[in-house]
Amino acid sequence: MCTAHKQLNDNDHFYIEQRLAEGDSFSQLAQTLGCAQSTISREIRSYIPDDFHGVYCHRLASKQAKETYCNTMNGLAFGCISERTKAFIHERLSTHISPEEN
């Protein structure tokens, strides 16, 4: 279920697709999933391609959400360390020296 600072998961995406097909409103979905209505709105708006003619697809949403998450995490992987540490890592990797060999 969706709580503060938690991404919707594959089951949530599937549930949204099924309930939208049944005609549930964003507020009904949000209440059931324990999210803000804006979370549901943003989810649906973000993951409906133009060529899907307004139809939400849970498989596509899950795939795109995972890609977005991975891209974000990859960008942050080196973002939190100092330039000196980055240089050290690159130097050691380029010379194939493990930290244990120091």
Side-chain angles (χ1 to χ4, degrees):
M1 296 296 165
C2 179
T3 58
H5 307 292
K6 181 183 174 199
Q7 300 295 316
L8 295 172
N9 62 36
D10 293 342
N11 291 333
D12 296 332
H13 292 140
F14 181 73
Y15 180 82
I16 291 169
E17 179 182 325
Q18 295 302 306
R19 300 317 310 161
L20 284 174
E22 296 293 323
D24 282 13
S25 68
F26 290 3
S27 61
Q28 289 170 314
L29 290 167
Q31 185 176 17
T32 303
L33 293 174
C35 296
Q37 186 174 340
S38 61
T39 300
I40 301 299
S41 174
R42 208 171 20 253
E43 169 72 16
I44 293 166
R45 188 176 57 244
S46 297
Y47 297 122
I48 296 180
D50 294 335
D51 58 343
F52 274 51
H53 307 289
V55 177
Y56 180 86
C57 174
H58 78 277
R59 287 186 184 99
L60 181 62
S62 292
K63 180 182 178 211
Q64 289 180 330
K66 286 176 185 169
E67 287 175 3
T68 299
Y69 179 78
C70 287
N71 290 340
T72 300
M73 295 314 292
N74 286 338
L76 295 177
F78 279 100
C80 299
I81 60 175
S82 70
E83 290 300 318
R84 182 176 175 208
T85 303
K86 287 181 197 178
F88 176 79
I89 291 169
H90 286 288
E91 174 191 336
R92 296 301 173 154
L93 288 175
S94 67
T95 59
H96 305 289
I97 298 172
S98 71
E100 293 83 24
E101 293 182 27
N102 279 341

